[in-house]
Amino acid sequence: MTRPGPDWFTGGYAEATFARHLGGFAGQPDLRFLQIGAYCGDASEWLLNNVVTHPSSVLFDVDTWEGSLEPDHEEIDFQSVHQFYTERMEPYSNVSWWVTSSDGFFAATNEKFDFIYIDGSHQAHQVLRDAVNADAHLRAGGILAFDDYRWGSHLRDTPAPAIDAFLRCFEGRYELLDLGLQVWVRKQ
């Protein structure tokens, strides 16, 4: 199948940042990783090939596969994106994908995670909701990462204000690991 949209992960800042902060988890048993916003599965495939490799470890991917309110999504056929993702994940037995909103997923699970990556909705209010929900589901010592911190400077409603608000509200509860195009923190 032809790729239905751009690859914003491979070979750039995101992939390098994943490798730097998640390499220590590689091959460990019983990991629970969560990705909010899976898109075409670029980060998913990288995680499954490089970190979440033990048979008892699981990657949870949550996405509506409907896109979000951002200009880059206007021309993308998200039905094709979901089909591409599904075909791409077929070889992996340790991925669980959920076609739902992040709110729906968090309401349906009591799972605790070692890593949570927030890259779903880019609207500030939803990014903040995802962050607060993620905190309740992140183990002590777990890593929380936000994508697109510096994205959308030409737009009004972006992830940055939500990420900043979360960091202020949870000050002292997280160690800052990285502040750039993405924000990475470790729960104390």
Side-chain angles (χ1 to χ4, degrees):
M1 176 176 205
T2 304
R3 182 183 183 87
D7 179 348
W8 291 299
F9 179 82
T10 307
Y13 181 89
E15 183 177 9
T17 307
F18 268 54
R20 183 171 57 253
H21 293 296
L22 299 176
F25 286 109
Q28 290 183 17
D30 302 316
L31 291 175
R32 295 294 178 267
F33 275 35
L34 170 61
Q35 182 175 224
I36 298 170
Y39 183 57
C40 285
D42 303 311
S44 306
E45 189 171 68
W46 187 91
L47 287 166
L48 292 163
N49 288 333
N50 294 285
V51 181
V52 185
T53 57
H54 193 279
S56 66
S57 294
V58 179
L59 170 64
F60 293 79
D61 276 346
V62 176
D63 204 312
T64 61
W65 281 282
E66 294 175 357
S68 60
L69 300 173
E70 53 189 273
D72 289 343
H73 287 193
E74 290 174 5
E75 301 298 319
I76 297 174
D77 173 6
F78 277 89
Q79 185 175 358
S80 296
V81 169
H82 184 232
Q83 182 179 354
F84 183 85
Y85 168 88
T86 302
E87 290 176 10
R88 194 174 193 180
M89 293 300 112
E90 282 178 4
Y92 301 98
S93 60
N94 57 338
V95 62
S96 173
W97 66 82
W98 295 60
V99 182
T100 188
S101 67
S102 53
D103 292 331
F105 175 79
F106 282 124
T109 187
N110 292 320
E111 195 81 46
K112 293 290 186 181
F113 296 96
D114 302 287
F115 171 66
I116 300 176
Y117 183 52
I118 298 176
D119 187 23
S121 171
H122 283 50
Q123 293 181 288
H125 74 279
Q126 187 61 50
V127 173
L128 185 56
R129 287 170 62 113
D130 287 344
V132 171
N133 283 327
D135 174 71
H137 287 85
L138 189 65
R139 292 182 176 137
I143 294 176
L144 175 60
F146 300 88
D147 195 26
D148 297 316
Y149 182 62
R150 300 195 192 285
W151 172 86
S153 59
H154 59 289
L155 302 172
R156 188 176 57 85
D157 192 11
T158 67
I163 296 166
D164 291 340
F166 176 81
L167 294 176
R168 277 192 309 276
C169 290
F170 287 80
E171 189 173 350
R173 297 182 196 170
Y174 283 87
E175 170 194 2
L176 182 63
L177 302 175
D178 206 311
L179 180 67
L181 298 175
Q182 296 180 336
V183 174
W184 289 64
V185 293
R186 183 184 316 274
K187 188 173 186 176
Q188 301 297 314

